[in-house]
Amino acid sequence: AQSVTQLDSHVSVSEGTPVLLRCNYSSSYSPSLFWYVQHPNKGLQLLLKYTSAATLVKGINGFEAEFKKSETSFHLTKPSAHMSDAAEYFCVVSPSGGSYIPTFGRGTSLIVHP
Amino acid sequence: DAMVIQNPRYQVTQFGKPVTLSCSQTLNHNVMYWYQQKSSQAPKLLFHYYDKDFNNEADTPDNFQSRRPNTSFCFLDIRSPGLGDAAMYLCATSRGNQAGTSTDTQYFGPGTRLTVL
C-alpha cells in the first residue's frame, strides 16, 4: 500500500521569497516520487521526479526536491518565488513492482503576493 | 508539439444525455488513464488501459465507460450524466515499462471541463 500526505492545503508567499511545499509518503516498495504543477483550467505538468538516483532532484522553473528516506519526505523548494508560480502542486508516489497506478496527494495551492 | 490532446476542451450536456469525451496521443505510449477532477481536489482515477487491457477502479460508477480502439485514441463515455458528474476530465499517458517498474512519467492532456445542466 502507498499513500501521500501534502501537509499544507495552501501556502502563501511574497514574490522573491523562498517556497517550501511539504510532502510525506509511505510505500511498501522503493517508490518513484513526482511533483506536478497545475495552472487554472490546465492539465498537469511534470516539475521533477525521483527514481532512486540522486536524492536531490532539480526540475524545471528553478524548483528542486530532496528525497529523504529516513524522514519519508520529498519536499519541493524554490529559492525565489515568481508570480507565475501561483498554481496547484501535486505530490505523487508511484510504487515499483509492477503497478502503473500512482497515488496523488490532495494538492497544495501556492499563492504568490506581489 | 501537442502530445496528449483532448477534445472538446469544454463540453456542456443536459442531465441524462449521453456524452463522449475523446483523448488522443502522439507518444505511442502503452498506458492511457482517465481521471476525474473536481474543484480544489486531486485527480481521481476512473480507469486505465495497458495496451488493450482495461482496468476499472473499484469505485468507478457503472455510468462511466471507456473504449480504446487503437493505441492513439481513448474515449470516455458517460451514459447518463448527473449533476455530480460535472468536473474536469483529464486524460494521461505513460510509456508502460515492460519491466513493471513505475518510474514512468505521466503526460497529461489539457482536460475537458464538463458542465451538466
Side-chain angles (χ1 to χ4, degrees), chain B residues 21 36 38 46-47 54 56 59-66 76-82 84-87 89 114:
Chain B
L21 311 182
Q36 179 192 65
K38 296 190 175 180
L46 295 173
F47 21 62
F54 176 72
N56 199 32
D59 58 353
T60 298
D62 292 340
N63 197 27
F64 292 85
Q65 304 285 320
S66 184
L76 170 61
D77 300 308
I78 309 176
R79 293 192 295 185
S80 182
D85 296 328
Y89 289 87
L114 178 68

mmCIF file with all atom_site columns, all heavy atoms in Angstrom, chain B residues 21 36 38 46-47 54 56 59-66 76-82 84-87 89 114:
data_model
loop_
_atom_site.group_PDB
_atom_site.id
_atom_site.type_symbol
_atom_site.label_atom_id
_atom_site.label_alt_id
_atom_site.label_comp_id
_atom_site.label_asym_id
_atom_site.label_entity_id
_atom_site.label_seq_id
_atom_site.pdbx_PDB_ins_code
_atom_site.Cartn_x
_atom_site.Cartn_y
_atom_site.Cartn_z
_atom_site.occupancy
_atom_site.B_iso_or_equiv
_atom_site.pdbx_formal_charge
_atom_site.auth_seq_id
_atom_site.auth_comp_id
_atom_site.auth_asym_id
_atom_site.auth_atom_id
_atom_site.pdbx_PDB_model_num
ATOM 1   N N   . LEU B 1 21  ? -16.218 11.965 -24.382 1.00 0.00 ? 21  LEU B N   1
ATOM 2   C CA  . LEU B 1 21  ? -15.013 12.787 -24.388 1.00 0.00 ? 21  LEU B CA  1
ATOM 3   C C   . LEU B 1 21  ? -13.906 11.984 -25.058 1.00 0.00 ? 21  LEU B C   1
ATOM 4   O O   . LEU B 1 21  ? -13.820 10.768 -24.869 1.00 0.00 ? 21  LEU B O   1
ATOM 5   C CB  . LEU B 1 21  ? -14.603 13.159 -22.963 1.00 0.00 ? 21  LEU B CB  1
ATOM 6   C CG  . LEU B 1 21  ? -15.706 13.731 -22.067 1.00 0.00 ? 21  LEU B CG  1
ATOM 7   C CD1 . LEU B 1 21  ? -15.126 14.103 -20.699 1.00 0.00 ? 21  LEU B CD1 1
ATOM 8   C CD2 . LEU B 1 21  ? -16.394 14.915 -22.704 1.00 0.00 ? 21  LEU B CD2 1
ATOM 9   N N   . GLN B 1 36  ? -10.992 11.924 -13.130 1.00 0.00 ? 36  GLN B N   1
ATOM 10  C CA  . GLN B 1 36  ? -11.999 12.942 -12.862 1.00 0.00 ? 36  GLN B CA  1
ATOM 11  C C   . GLN B 1 36  ? -11.432 13.876 -11.788 1.00 0.00 ? 36  GLN B C   1
ATOM 12  O O   . GLN B 1 36  ? -10.926 13.401 -10.759 1.00 0.00 ? 36  GLN B O   1
ATOM 13  C CB  . GLN B 1 36  ? -13.291 12.301 -12.352 1.00 0.00 ? 36  GLN B CB  1
ATOM 14  C CG  . GLN B 1 36  ? -14.395 13.296 -12.028 1.00 0.00 ? 36  GLN B CG  1
ATOM 15  C CD  . GLN B 1 36  ? -15.536 12.631 -11.256 1.00 0.00 ? 36  GLN B CD  1
ATOM 16  O OE1 . GLN B 1 36  ? -15.348 12.186 -10.118 1.00 0.00 ? 36  GLN B OE1 1
ATOM 17  N NE2 . GLN B 1 36  ? -16.707 12.559 -11.879 1.00 0.00 ? 36  GLN B NE2 1
ATOM 18  N N   . LYS B 1 38  ? -12.526 17.199 -9.526  1.00 0.00 ? 38  LYS B N   1
ATOM 19  C CA  . LYS B 1 38  ? -13.483 18.223 -9.103  1.00 0.00 ? 38  LYS B CA  1
ATOM 20  C C   . LYS B 1 38  ? -12.728 19.384 -8.473  1.00 0.00 ? 38  LYS B C   1
ATOM 21  O O   . LYS B 1 38  ? -11.555 19.268 -8.121  1.00 0.00 ? 38  LYS B O   1
ATOM 22  C CB  . LYS B 1 38  ? -14.509 17.620 -8.155  1.00 0.00 ? 38  LYS B CB  1
ATOM 23  C CG  . LYS B 1 38  ? -15.350 16.562 -8.852  1.00 0.00 ? 38  LYS B CG  1
ATOM 24  C CD  . LYS B 1 38  ? -16.531 16.112 -8.036  1.00 0.00 ? 38  LYS B CD  1
ATOM 25  C CE  . LYS B 1 38  ? -17.375 15.156 -8.861  1.00 0.00 ? 38  LYS B CE  1
ATOM 26  N NZ  . LYS B 1 38  ? -18.569 14.667 -8.125  1.00 0.00 ? 38  LYS B NZ  1
ATOM 27  N N   . LEU B 1 46  ? -10.317 7.005  -12.749 1.00 0.00 ? 46  LEU B N   1
ATOM 28  C CA  . LEU B 1 46  ? -11.537 6.255  -13.093 1.00 0.00 ? 46  LEU B CA  1
ATOM 29  C C   . LEU B 1 46  ? -11.187 4.869  -13.628 1.00 0.00 ? 46  LEU B C   1
ATOM 30  O O   . LEU B 1 46  ? -11.744 3.861  -13.200 1.00 0.00 ? 46  LEU B O   1
ATOM 31  C CB  . LEU B 1 46  ? -12.333 7.025  -14.151 1.00 0.00 ? 46  LEU B CB  1
ATOM 32  C CG  . LEU B 1 46  ? -12.897 8.377  -13.729 1.00 0.00 ? 46  LEU B CG  1
ATOM 33  C CD1 . LEU B 1 46  ? -13.507 9.086  -14.930 1.00 0.00 ? 46  LEU B CD1 1
ATOM 34  C CD2 . LEU B 1 46  ? -13.911 8.222  -12.603 1.00 0.00 ? 46  LEU B CD2 1
ATOM 35  N N   . PHE B 1 47  ? -10.298 4.840  -14.608 1.00 0.00 ? 47  PHE B N   1
ATOM 36  C CA  . PHE B 1 47  ? -9.809  3.574  -15.180 1.00 0.00 ? 47  PHE B CA  1
ATOM 37  C C   . PHE B 1 47  ? -8.549  3.842  -15.975 1.00 0.00 ? 47  PHE B C   1
ATOM 38  O O   . PHE B 1 47  ? -8.173  4.998  -16.221 1.00 0.00 ? 47  PHE B O   1
ATOM 39  C CB  . PHE B 1 47  ? -10.848 2.874  -16.077 1.00 0.00 ? 47  PHE B CB  1
ATOM 40  C CG  . PHE B 1 47  ? -11.936 3.743  -16.634 1.00 0.00 ? 47  PHE B CG  1
ATOM 41  C CD1 . PHE B 1 47  ? -11.660 4.802  -17.477 1.00 0.00 ? 47  PHE B CD1 1
ATOM 42  C CD2 . PHE B 1 47  ? -13.259 3.477  -16.318 1.00 0.00 ? 47  PHE B CD2 1
ATOM 43  C CE1 . PHE B 1 47  ? -12.668 5.595  -17.989 1.00 0.00 ? 47  PHE B CE1 1
ATOM 44  C CE2 . PHE B 1 47  ? -14.277 4.259  -16.835 1.00 0.00 ? 47  PHE B CE2 1
ATOM 45  C CZ  . PHE B 1 47  ? -13.987 5.315  -17.664 1.00 0.00 ? 47  PHE B CZ  1
ATOM 46  N N   . PHE B 1 54  ? -8.160  -3.465 -20.138 1.00 0.00 ? 54  PHE B N   1
ATOM 47  C CA  . PHE B 1 54  ? -8.911  -2.439 -19.425 1.00 0.00 ? 54  PHE B CA  1
ATOM 48  C C   . PHE B 1 54  ? -8.901  -2.731 -17.933 1.00 0.00 ? 54  PHE B C   1
ATOM 49  O O   . PHE B 1 54  ? -9.101  -3.862 -17.511 1.00 0.00 ? 54  PHE B O   1
ATOM 50  C CB  . PHE B 1 54  ? -10.348 -2.434 -19.944 1.00 0.00 ? 54  PHE B CB  1
ATOM 51  C CG  . PHE B 1 54  ? -11.251 -1.478 -19.226 1.00 0.00 ? 54  PHE B CG  1
ATOM 52  C CD1 . PHE B 1 54  ? -11.122 -0.114 -19.420 1.00 0.00 ? 54  PHE B CD1 1
ATOM 53  C CD2 . PHE B 1 54  ? -12.240 -1.941 -18.368 1.00 0.00 ? 54  PHE B CD2 1
ATOM 54  C CE1 . PHE B 1 54  ? -11.961 0.776  -18.766 1.00 0.00 ? 54  PHE B CE1 1
ATOM 55  C CE2 . PHE B 1 54  ? -13.080 -1.069 -17.719 1.00 0.00 ? 54  PHE B CE2 1
ATOM 56  C CZ  . PHE B 1 54  ? -12.952 0.288  -17.914 1.00 0.00 ? 54  PHE B CZ  1
ATOM 57  N N   . ASN B 1 56  ? -10.586 -1.217 -14.441 1.00 0.00 ? 56  ASN B N   1
ATOM 58  C CA  . ASN B 1 56  ? -11.559 -0.314 -13.846 1.00 0.00 ? 56  ASN B CA  1
ATOM 59  C C   . ASN B 1 56  ? -11.259 -0.151 -12.359 1.00 0.00 ? 56  ASN B C   1
ATOM 60  O O   . ASN B 1 56  ? -10.995 -1.144 -11.676 1.00 0.00 ? 56  ASN B O   1
ATOM 61  C CB  . ASN B 1 56  ? -12.954 -0.916 -14.036 1.00 0.00 ? 56  ASN B CB  1
ATOM 62  C CG  . ASN B 1 56  ? -14.041 0.088  -13.885 1.00 0.00 ? 56  ASN B CG  1
ATOM 63  O OD1 . ASN B 1 56  ? -13.875 1.243  -14.207 1.00 0.00 ? 56  ASN B OD1 1
ATOM 64  N ND2 . ASN B 1 56  ? -15.174 -0.348 -13.374 1.00 0.00 ? 56  ASN B ND2 1
ATOM 65  N N   . ASP B 1 59  ? -14.283 1.799  -7.409  1.00 0.00 ? 59  ASP B N   1
ATOM 66  C CA  . ASP B 1 59  ? -15.359 2.734  -7.061  1.00 0.00 ? 59  ASP B CA  1
ATOM 67  C C   . ASP B 1 59  ? -15.797 3.600  -8.236  1.00 0.00 ? 59  ASP B C   1
ATOM 68  O O   . ASP B 1 59  ? -16.509 4.591  -8.038  1.00 0.00 ? 59  ASP B O   1
ATOM 69  C CB  . ASP B 1 59  ? -14.932 3.602  -5.868  1.00 0.00 ? 59  ASP B CB  1
ATOM 70  C CG  . ASP B 1 59  ? -13.655 4.378  -6.147  1.00 0.00 ? 59  ASP B CG  1
ATOM 71  O OD1 . ASP B 1 59  ? -13.030 4.149  -7.211  1.00 0.00 ? 59  ASP B OD1 1
ATOM 72  O OD2 . ASP B 1 59  ? -13.270 5.204  -5.299  1.00 0.00 ? 59  ASP B OD2 1
ATOM 73  N N   . THR B 1 60  ? -15.409 3.244  -9.438  1.00 0.00 ? 60  THR B N   1
ATOM 74  C CA  . THR B 1 60  ? -15.873 3.988  -10.607 1.00 0.00 ? 60  THR B CA  1
ATOM 75  C C   . THR B 1 60  ? -17.311 3.582  -10.913 1.00 0.00 ? 60  THR B C   1
ATOM 76  O O   . THR B 1 60  ? -17.591 2.394  -11.093 1.00 0.00 ? 60  THR B O   1
ATOM 77  C CB  . THR B 1 60  ? -14.985 3.710  -11.821 1.00 0.00 ? 60  THR B CB  1
ATOM 78  O OG1 . THR B 1 60  ? -13.654 4.150  -11.538 1.00 0.00 ? 60  THR B OG1 1
ATOM 79  C CG2 . THR B 1 60  ? -15.501 4.435  -13.060 1.00 0.00 ? 60  THR B CG2 1
ATOM 80  N N   . PRO B 1 61  ? -18.219 4.546  -10.988 1.00 0.00 ? 61  PRO B N   1
ATOM 81  C CA  . PRO B 1 61  ? -19.631 4.191  -11.245 1.00 0.00 ? 61  PRO B CA  1
ATOM 82  C C   . PRO B 1 61  ? -19.799 3.536  -12.614 1.00 0.00 ? 61  PRO B C   1
ATOM 83  O O   . PRO B 1 61  ? -19.073 3.838  -13.566 1.00 0.00 ? 61  PRO B O   1
ATOM 84  C CB  . PRO B 1 61  ? -20.340 5.553  -11.201 1.00 0.00 ? 61  PRO B CB  1
ATOM 85  C CG  . PRO B 1 61  ? -19.427 6.453  -10.443 1.00 0.00 ? 61  PRO B CG  1
ATOM 86  C CD  . PRO B 1 61  ? -18.044 5.996  -10.746 1.00 0.00 ? 61  PRO B CD  1
ATOM 87  N N   . ASP B 1 62  ? -20.827 2.677  -12.686 1.00 0.00 ? 62  ASP B N   1
ATOM 88  C CA  . ASP B 1 62  ? -21.126 1.994  -13.952 1.00 0.00 ? 62  ASP B CA  1
ATOM 89  C C   . ASP B 1 62  ? -21.516 2.965  -15.053 1.00 0.00 ? 62  ASP B C   1
ATOM 90  O O   . ASP B 1 62  ? -21.487 2.618  -16.238 1.00 0.00 ? 62  ASP B O   1
ATOM 91  C CB  . ASP B 1 62  ? -22.265 0.999  -13.739 1.00 0.00 ? 62  ASP B CB  1
ATOM 92  C CG  . ASP B 1 62  ? -21.843 -0.155 -12.856 1.00 0.00 ? 62  ASP B CG  1
ATOM 93  O OD1 . ASP B 1 62  ? -20.623 -0.386 -12.735 1.00 0.00 ? 62  ASP B OD1 1
ATOM 94  O OD2 . ASP B 1 62  ? -22.721 -0.830 -12.293 1.00 0.00 ? 62  ASP B OD2 1
ATOM 95  N N   . ASN B 1 63  ? -21.922 4.133  -14.673 1.00 0.00 ? 63  ASN B N   1
ATOM 96  C CA  . ASN B 1 63  ? -22.294 5.193  -15.605 1.00 0.00 ? 63  ASN B CA  1
ATOM 97  C C   . ASN B 1 63  ? -21.123 5.607  -16.507 1.00 0.00 ? 63  ASN B C   1
ATOM 98  O O   . ASN B 1 63  ? -21.317 6.210  -17.557 1.00 0.00 ? 63  ASN B O   1
ATOM 99  C CB  . ASN B 1 63  ? -22.758 6.386  -14.761 1.00 0.00 ? 63  ASN B CB  1
ATOM 100 C CG  . ASN B 1 63  ? -23.538 7.388  -15.545 1.00 0.00 ? 63  ASN B CG  1
ATOM 101 O OD1 . ASN B 1 63  ? -24.165 7.047  -16.538 1.00 0.00 ? 63  ASN B OD1 1
ATOM 102 N ND2 . ASN B 1 63  ? -23.475 8.636  -15.112 1.00 0.00 ? 63  ASN B ND2 1
ATOM 103 N N   . PHE B 1 64  ? -19.920 5.296  -16.096 1.00 0.00 ? 64  PHE B N   1
ATOM 104 C CA  . PHE B 1 64  ? -18.724 5.659  -16.838 1.00 0.00 ? 64  PHE B CA  1
ATOM 105 C C   . PHE B 1 64  ? -18.180 4.434  -17.562 1.00 0.00 ? 64  PHE B C   1
ATOM 106 O O   . PHE B 1 64  ? -17.979 3.381  -16.957 1.00 0.00 ? 64  PHE B O   1
ATOM 107 C CB  . PHE B 1 64  ? -17.632 6.207  -15.906 1.00 0.00 ? 64  PHE B CB  1
ATOM 108 C CG  . PHE B 1 64  ? -17.951 7.528  -15.292 1.00 0.00 ? 64  PHE B CG  1
ATOM 109 C CD1 . PHE B 1 64  ? -18.706 7.612  -14.133 1.00 0.00 ? 64  PHE B CD1 1
ATOM 110 C CD2 . PHE B 1 64  ? -17.501 8.698  -15.870 1.00 0.00 ? 64  PHE B CD2 1
ATOM 111 C CE1 . PHE B 1 64  ? -19.006 8.836  -13.566 1.00 0.00 ? 64  PHE B CE1 1
ATOM 112 C CE2 . PHE B 1 64  ? -17.792 9.933  -15.308 1.00 0.00 ? 64  PHE B CE2 1
ATOM 113 C CZ  . PHE B 1 64  ? -18.550 9.999  -14.153 1.00 0.00 ? 64  PHE B CZ  1
ATOM 114 N N   . GLN B 1 65  ? -17.964 4.601  -18.862 1.00 0.00 ? 65  GLN B N   1
ATOM 115 C CA  . GLN B 1 65  ? -17.404 3.528  -19.670 1.00 0.00 ? 65  GLN B CA  1
ATOM 116 C C   . GLN B 1 65  ? -16.239 4.101  -20.475 1.00 0.00 ? 65  GLN B C   1
ATOM 117 O O   . GLN B 1 65  ? -16.117 5.320  -20.627 1.00 0.00 ? 65  GLN B O   1
ATOM 118 C CB  . GLN B 1 65  ? -18.469 2.969  -20.628 1.00 0.00 ? 65  GLN B CB  1
ATOM 119 C CG  . GLN B 1 65  ? -19.739 2.490  -19.932 1.00 0.00 ? 65  GLN B CG  1
ATOM 120 C CD  . GLN B 1 65  ? -19.533 1.165  -19.232 1.00 0.00 ? 65  GLN B CD  1
ATOM 121 O OE1 . GLN B 1 65  ? -18.863 0.276  -19.755 1.00 0.00 ? 65  GLN B OE1 1
ATOM 122 N NE2 . GLN B 1 65  ? -20.100 1.016  -18.039 1.00 0.00 ? 65  GLN B NE2 1
ATOM 123 N N   . SER B 1 66  ? -15.426 3.194  -21.006 1.00 0.00 ? 66  SER B N   1
ATOM 124 C CA  . SER B 1 66  ? -14.305 3.669  -21.807 1.00 0.00 ? 66  SER B CA  1
ATOM 125 C C   . SER B 1 66  ? -14.060 2.710  -22.963 1.00 0.00 ? 66  SER B C   1
ATOM 126 O O   . SER B 1 66  ? -14.402 1.529  -22.891 1.00 0.00 ? 66  SER B O   1
ATOM 127 C CB  . SER B 1 66  ? -13.052 3.780  -20.941 1.00 0.00 ? 66  SER B CB  1
ATOM 128 O OG  . SER B 1 66  ? -11.977 4.335  -21.677 1.00 0.00 ? 66  SER B OG  1
ATOM 129 N N   . LEU B 1 76  ? -13.969 8.398  -23.294 1.00 0.00 ? 76  LEU B N   1
ATOM 130 C CA  . LEU B 1 76  ? -14.717 8.283  -22.044 1.00 0.00 ? 76  LEU B CA  1
ATOM 131 C C   . LEU B 1 76  ? -16.183 8.536  -22.371 1.00 0.00 ? 76  LEU B C   1
ATOM 132 O O   . LEU B 1 76  ? -16.523 9.609  -22.887 1.00 0.00 ? 76  LEU B O   1
ATOM 133 C CB  . LEU B 1 76  ? -14.206 9.304  -21.026 1.00 0.00 ? 76  LEU B CB  1
ATOM 134 C CG  . LEU B 1 76  ? -15.028 9.491  -19.752 1.00 0.00 ? 76  LEU B CG  1
ATOM 135 C CD1 . LEU B 1 76  ? -15.096 8.192  -18.961 1.00 0.00 ? 76  LEU B CD1 1
ATOM 136 C CD2 . LEU B 1 76  ? -14.435 10.605 -18.893 1.00 0.00 ? 76  LEU B CD2 1
ATOM 137 N N   . ASP B 1 77  ? -17.018 7.548  -22.088 1.00 0.00 ? 77  ASP B N   1
ATOM 138 C CA  . ASP B 1 77  ? -18.453 7.680  -22.313 1.00 0.00 ? 77  ASP B CA  1
ATOM 139 C C   . ASP B 1 77  ? -19.153 7.800  -20.965 1.00 0.00 ? 77  ASP B C   1
ATOM 140 O O   . ASP B 1 77  ? -18.959 6.954  -20.087 1.00 0.00 ? 77  ASP B O   1
ATOM 141 C CB  . ASP B 1 77  ? -19.004 6.440  -23.047 1.00 0.00 ? 77  ASP B CB  1
ATOM 142 C CG  . ASP B 1 77  ? -18.347 6.228  -24.389 1.00 0.00 ? 77  ASP B CG  1
ATOM 143 O OD1 . ASP B 1 77  ? -18.309 7.190  -25.178 1.00 0.00 ? 77  ASP B OD1 1
ATOM 144 O OD2 . ASP B 1 77  ? -17.860 5.111  -24.642 1.00 0.00 ? 77  ASP B OD2 1
ATOM 145 N N   . ILE B 1 78  ? -19.966 8.832  -20.840 1.00 0.00 ? 78  ILE B N   1
ATOM 146 C CA  . ILE B 1 78  ? -20.808 8.962  -19.653 1.00 0.00 ? 78  ILE B CA  1
ATOM 147 C C   . ILE B 1 78  ? -22.235 8.740  -20.113 1.00 0.00 ? 78  ILE B C   1
ATOM 148 O O   . ILE B 1 78  ? -22.782 9.538  -20.889 1.00 0.00 ? 78  ILE B O   1
ATOM 149 C CB  . ILE B 1 78  ? -20.635 10.338 -18.974 1.00 0.00 ? 78  ILE B CB  1
ATOM 150 C CG1 . ILE B 1 78  ? -19.145 10.627 -18.736 1.00 0.00 ? 78  ILE B CG1 1
ATOM 151 C CG2 . ILE B 1 78  ? -21.394 10.371 -17.651 1.00 0.00 ? 78  ILE B CG2 1
ATOM 152 C CD1 . ILE B 1 78  ? -18.860 12.007 -18.160 1.00 0.00 ? 78  ILE B CD1 1
ATOM 153 N N   . ARG B 1 79  ? -22.816 7.644  -19.670 1.00 0.00 ? 79  ARG B N   1
ATOM 154 C CA  . ARG B 1 79  ? -24.072 7.188  -20.270 1.00 0.00 ? 79  ARG B CA  1
ATOM 155 C C   . ARG B 1 79  ? -25.259 8.062  -19.872 1.00 0.00 ? 79  ARG B C   1
ATOM 156 O O   . ARG B 1 79  ? -26.140 8.334  -20.682 1.00 0.00 ? 79  ARG B O   1
ATOM 157 C CB  . ARG B 1 79  ? -24.339 5.743  -19.871 1.00 0.00 ? 79  ARG B CB  1
ATOM 158 C CG  . ARG B 1 79  ? -23.315 4.783  -20.475 1.00 0.00 ? 79  ARG B CG  1
ATOM 159 C CD  . ARG B 1 79  ? -23.721 3.342  -20.339 1.00 0.00 ? 79  ARG B CD  1
ATOM 160 N NE  . ARG B 1 79  ? -23.771 2.923  -18.942 1.00 0.00 ? 79  ARG B NE  1
ATOM 161 C CZ  . ARG B 1 79  ? -24.009 1.668  -18.570 1.00 0.00 ? 79  ARG B CZ  1
ATOM 162 N NH1 . ARG B 1 79  ? -24.229 0.734  -19.467 1.00 0.00 ? 79  ARG B NH1 1
ATOM 163 N NH2 . ARG B 1 79  ? -24.054 1.350  -17.302 1.00 0.00 ? 79  ARG B NH2 1
ATOM 164 N N   . SER B 1 80  ? -25.291 8.491  -18.642 1.00 0.00 ? 80  SER B N   1
ATOM 165 C CA  . SER B 1 80  ? -26.404 9.308  -18.162 1.00 0.00 ? 80  SER B CA  1
ATOM 166 C C   . SER B 1 80  ? -25.853 10.311 -17.147 1.00 0.00 ? 80  SER B C   1
ATOM 167 O O   . SER B 1 80  ? -25.896 10.057 -15.933 1.00 0.00 ? 80  SER B O   1
ATOM 168 C CB  . SER B 1 80  ? -27.482 8.420  -17.531 1.00 0.00 ? 80  SER B CB  1
ATOM 169 O OG  . SER B 1 80  ? -28.576 9.203  -17.102 1.00 0.00 ? 80  SER B OG  1
ATOM 170 N N   . PRO B 1 81  ? -25.318 11.402 -17.661 1.00 0.00 ? 81  PRO B N   1
ATOM 171 C CA  . PRO B 1 81  ? -24.645 12.344 -16.751 1.00 0.00 ? 81  PRO B CA  1
ATOM 172 C C   . PRO B 1 81  ? -25.588 12.926 -15.709 1.00 0.00 ? 81  PRO B C   1
ATOM 173 O O   . PRO B 1 81  ? -26.724 13.320 -16.029 1.00 0.00 ? 81  PRO B O   1
ATOM 174 C CB  . PRO B 1 81  ? -24.128 13.437 -17.681 1.00 0.00 ? 81  PRO B CB  1
ATOM 175 C CG  . PRO B 1 81  ? -24.117 12.829 -19.037 1.00 0.00 ? 81  PRO B CG  1
ATOM 176 C CD  . PRO B 1 81  ? -25.216 11.825 -19.057 1.00 0.00 ? 81  PRO B CD  1
ATOM 177 N N   . GLY B 1 82  ? -25.125 12.946 -14.488 1.00 0.00 ? 82  GLY B N   1
ATOM 178 C CA  . GLY B 1 82  ? -25.840 13.625 -13.432 1.00 0.00 ? 82  GLY B CA  1
ATOM 179 C C   . GLY B 1 82  ? -25.117 14.905 -13.052 1.00 0.00 ? 82  GLY B C   1
ATOM 180 O O   . GLY B 1 82  ? -23.998 15.162 -13.497 1.00 0.00 ? 82  GLY B O   1
ATOM 181 N N   . GLY B 1 84  ? -23.705 15.639 -10.426 1.00 0.00 ? 84  GLY B N   1
ATOM 182 C CA  . GLY B 1 84  ? -22.474 15.323 -9.710  1.00 0.00 ? 84  GLY B CA  1
ATOM 183 C C   . GLY B 1 84  ? -21.325 14.913 -10.597 1.00 0.00 ? 84  GLY B C   1
ATOM 184 O O   . GLY B 1 84  ? -20.194 14.772 -10.119 1.00 0.00 ? 84  GLY B O   1
ATOM 185 N N   . ASP B 1 85  ? -21.592 14.745 -11.885 1.00 0.00 ? 85  ASP B N   1
ATOM 186 C CA  . ASP B 1 85  ? -20.529 14.368 -12.816 1.00 0.00 ? 85  ASP B CA  1
ATOM 187 C C   . ASP B 1 85  ? -19.854 15.585 -13.437 1.00 0.00 ? 85  ASP B C   1
ATOM 188 O O   . ASP B 1 85  ? -18.888 15.435 -14.201 1.00 0.00 ? 85  ASP B O   1
ATOM 189 C CB  . ASP B 1 85  ? -21.093 13.483 -13.926 1.00 0.00 ? 85  ASP B CB  1
ATOM 190 C CG  . ASP B 1 85  ? -21.615 12.168 -13.382 1.00 0.00 ? 85  ASP B CG  1
ATOM 191 O OD1 . ASP B 1 85  ? -21.052 11.666 -12.377 1.00 0.00 ? 85  ASP B OD1 1
ATOM 192 O OD2 . ASP B 1 85  ? -22.607 11.643 -13.943 1.00 0.00 ? 85  ASP B OD2 1
ATOM 193 N N   . ALA B 1 86  ? -20.356 16.761 -13.121 1.00 0.00 ? 86  ALA B N   1
ATOM 194 C CA  . ALA B 1 86  ? -19.706 17.975 -13.610 1.00 0.00 ? 86  ALA B CA  1
ATOM 195 C C   . ALA B 1 86  ? -18.316 18.072 -12.990 1.00 0.00 ? 86  ALA B C   1
ATOM 196 O O   . ALA B 1 86  ? -18.164 18.029 -11.764 1.00 0.00 ? 86  ALA B O   1
ATOM 197 C CB  . ALA B 1 86  ? -20.534 19.194 -13.237 1.00 0.00 ? 86  ALA B CB  1
ATOM 198 N N   . ALA B 1 87  ? -17.319 18.170 -13.840 1.00 0.00 ? 87  ALA B N   1
ATOM 199 C CA  . ALA B 1 87  ? -15.934 18.113 -13.363 1.00 0.00 ? 87  ALA B CA  1
ATOM 200 C C   . ALA B 1 87  ? -15.007 18.377 -14.538 1.00 0.00 ? 87  ALA B C   1
ATOM 201 O O   . ALA B 1 87  ? -15.432 18.490 -15.685 1.00 0.00 ? 87  ALA B O   1
ATOM 202 C CB  . ALA B 1 87  ? -15.610 16.748 -12.758 1.00 0.00 ? 87  ALA B CB  1
ATOM 203 N N   . TYR B 1 89  ? -12.210 16.503 -16.701 1.00 0.00 ? 89  TYR B N   1
ATOM 204 C CA  . TYR B 1 89  ? -11.792 15.139 -17.005 1.00 0.00 ? 89  TYR B CA  1
ATOM 205 C C   . TYR B 1 89  ? -10.430 15.198 -17.699 1.00 0.00 ? 89  TYR B C   1
ATOM 206 O O   . TYR B 1 89  ? -10.263 15.840 -18.728 1.00 0.00 ? 89  TYR B O   1
ATOM 207 C CB  . TYR B 1 89  ? -12.836 14.426 -17.862 1.00 0.00 ? 89  TYR B CB  1
ATOM 208 C CG  . TYR B 1 89  ? -14.073 14.135 -17.048 1.00 0.00 ? 89  TYR B CG  1
ATOM 209 C CD1 . TYR B 1 89  ? -15.088 15.081 -16.942 1.00 0.00 ? 89  TYR B CD1 1
ATOM 210 C CD2 . TYR B 1 89  ? -14.189 12.944 -16.334 1.00 0.00 ? 89  TYR B CD2 1
ATOM 211 C CE1 . TYR B 1 89  ? -16.204 14.842 -16.143 1.00 0.00 ? 89  TYR B CE1 1
ATOM 212 C CE2 . TYR B 1 89  ? -15.305 12.700 -15.538 1.00 0.00 ? 89  TYR B CE2 1
ATOM 213 C CZ  . TYR B 1 89  ? -16.296 13.656 -15.442 1.00 0.00 ? 89  TYR B CZ  1
ATOM 214 O OH  . TYR B 1 89  ? -17.394 13.420 -14.649 1.00 0.00 ? 89  TYR B OH  1
ATOM 215 N N   . LEU B 1 114 ? -16.476 19.497 -18.106 1.00 0.00 ? 114 LEU B N   1
ATOM 216 C CA  . LEU B 1 114 ? -17.846 19.075 -18.384 1.00 0.00 ? 114 LEU B CA  1
ATOM 217 C C   . LEU B 1 114 ? -18.811 19.818 -17.475 1.00 0.00 ? 114 LEU B C   1
ATOM 218 O O   . LEU B 1 114 ? -18.650 19.821 -16.257 1.00 0.00 ? 114 LEU B O   1
ATOM 219 C CB  . LEU B 1 114 ? -18.003 17.562 -18.168 1.00 0.00 ? 114 LEU B CB  1
ATOM 220 C CG  . LEU B 1 114 ? -19.414 17.016 -18.385 1.00 0.00 ? 114 LEU B CG  1
ATOM 221 C CD1 . LEU B 1 114 ? -19.797 17.107 -19.861 1.00 0.00 ? 114 LEU B CD1 1
ATOM 222 C CD2 . LEU B 1 114 ? -19.512 15.574 -17.889 1.00 0.00 ? 114 LEU B CD2 1
#
